[in-house]
Amino acid sequence: PRIATFAGMLGAVYYNDHAPPQVHLQGGGLDVVVDILDPRLPRGLLPRGMARTILAWVRSRQPQLLANWELARRALPPFKVT
């Protein structure tokens, strides 16, 4: 389910997703998966500014993203992250 929209991207967590905890981001022709506990992106995957924006967003919302991942993993509805 979609949990956020930011910087032109949609953020989602998937029901019954596998570990590690992750958030899926899509937009602008990109489909990126970011580890919630250890946010990193492979070098060159995204333009530098966008990569910084995405990683800063994930880091600043780690508790909410992790809580949503846990809810979705148990097939419970997640909440919106702002």
Side-chain angles (χ1 to χ4, degrees):
R2 183 183 310 170
I3 58 168
T5 304
F6 78 100
M9 300 198 76
L10 303 176
V13 291
Y14 296 156
Y15 290 118
N16 300 313
D17 206 357
H18 59 83
Q22 54 198 308
V23 61
H24 299 259
L25 303 167
Q26 297 175 324
L30 301 169
D31 190 357
V32 180
V33 179
V34 182
D35 185 314
I36 295 170
L37 298 176
D38 185 19
R40 290 187 275 175
L41 293 169
R43 189 170 282 208
L45 180 65
L46 298 171
R48 183 179 282 164
M50 181 176 260
R52 274 195 300 262
T53 299
I54 288 171
L55 294 177
W57 183 84
V58 171
R59 287 183 184 117
S60 69
R61 290 160 179 83
Q62 276 179 322
Q64 298 98 319
L65 293 171
L66 186 58
N68 267 326
W69 186 84
E70 292 287 349
L71 286 169
R73 189 156 160 91
R74 294 181 296 176
L76 298 171
F79 57 89
K80 297 291 181 200
V81 175
T82 58

